[in-house]
Amino acid sequence: PAMVAHKDAPEPVLDQPGAAAPAAAPPSGTLKREPRVGKEPYSDEAFARLNNKANAEPAKPAETKPDVKPDAAAAPAVASGPDEVPWLWPTSAKVSAPYSDSGNKGLDFAGKAGDPVLAAGDGKVVYAGSGLRGFGELVIVKHNATYLSAYAHNRKILVKEGQQVTRGQKIAEMGNTDADSVKLHFEIRKQGKPVDPAQHLPKR
């Protein structure tokens, strides 16, 4: 009988991990929700959504999603040559990484923390914050129906969403938010697509 008791004893113990498994399932369910609450991974769609969200009426956030497509489709008809912007370099720092179609969607400038970041053209601030992963403290300026410019990794943002800015105005201080070194990542987007800023900026 003693042997039988020994043989029986492990069974409840063996059952316990099985019993614990269903209890462990709800936490994994809550884990799945976290990334949605956190920052959005960078993608052109996320970038466009940020811009559309900024342009939408704050009172109706729910309507921004269905509106994205018609807006994008309508934009090319509106925009052509007249929307060219007289661009200005956003910083006097040296270019540390050029634009590349497959990798860097803009220019990186290596500078010192606190260096002034300038608006590259007249426009309206449509986004100021850190909601896009990989960009840190980010400012997006809409210049017209065709062009946006973006300024990432700032240590401090000096403008607010909805604010009009002028070409050469200091809009941020250079920093290293969400970056491995102090730099300004600068993008020019034409109808939402990144273009090489070096093709648009004046010769230095």
Side-chain angles (χ1 to χ4, degrees):
M3 289 280 288
V4 175
H6 278 301
K7 206 188 255 174
D8 290 350
E11 275 174 23
V13 178
L14 276 176
D15 282 350
Q16 270 170 340
S28 79
T30 51
L31 273 178
K32 269 182 207 140
R33 241 171 280 139
E34 262 175 57
R36 251 179 266 159
V37 178
K39 297 182 180 182
E40 249 190 301
Y42 168 65
S43 69
D44 285 350
E45 291 76 55
F47 194 102
R49 201 156 45 244
L50 267 187
N51 179 39
N52 278 315
K53 203 186 288 174
N55 288 337
E57 308 288 14
K60 329 180 214 171
E63 286 178 31
T64 52
K65 271 196 182 138
D67 286 348
V68 170
K69 278 208 171 76
D71 278 0
V78 181
S80 59
D83 279 345
E84 287 304 319
V85 175
W87 297 101
L88 178 85
W89 288 83
T91 171
S92 55
K94 285 199 172 75
V95 175
S96 57
Y99 174 87
S100 95
D101 284 327
S102 54
N104 198 18
K105 301 292 188 188
L107 297 177
D108 287 357
F109 297 90
K112 295 191 300 298
D115 278 358
V117 173
L118 310 177
D122 296 349
K124 180 181 174 186
V125 177
V126 292
Y127 183 78
S130 57
L132 208 55
R133 194 162 64 211
F135 279 68
E137 293 292 335
L138 169 70
V139 179
I140 302 174
V141 176
K142 181 174 184 170
H143 301 287
N144 50 44
T146 306
Y147 286 105
L148 296 171
S149 57
Y151 313 77
H153 307 308
N154 305 297
R155 129 180 134 173
K156 189 176 181 189
I157 293 174
L158 305 174
V159 290
K160 292 184 172 65
E161 285 177 22
Q163 185 177 330
Q164 291 291 334
V165 293
T166 54
R167 181 173 178 257
Q169 180 178 337
K170 184 178 173 183
I171 56 173
E173 291 178 1
M174 201 181 291
N176 63 347
T177 52
D178 226 347
D180 47 11
S181 60
V182 174
K183 63 170 125 175
L184 168 66
H185 174 73
F186 172 67
E187 293 188 5
I188 292 177
R189 289 184 169 239
K190 185 175 183 178
Q191 281 150 8
K193 293 193 174 62
V195 292
D196 184 354
Q199 304 291 321
H200 293 267
L201 293 165
K203 292 277 176 281
R204 265 183 169 178

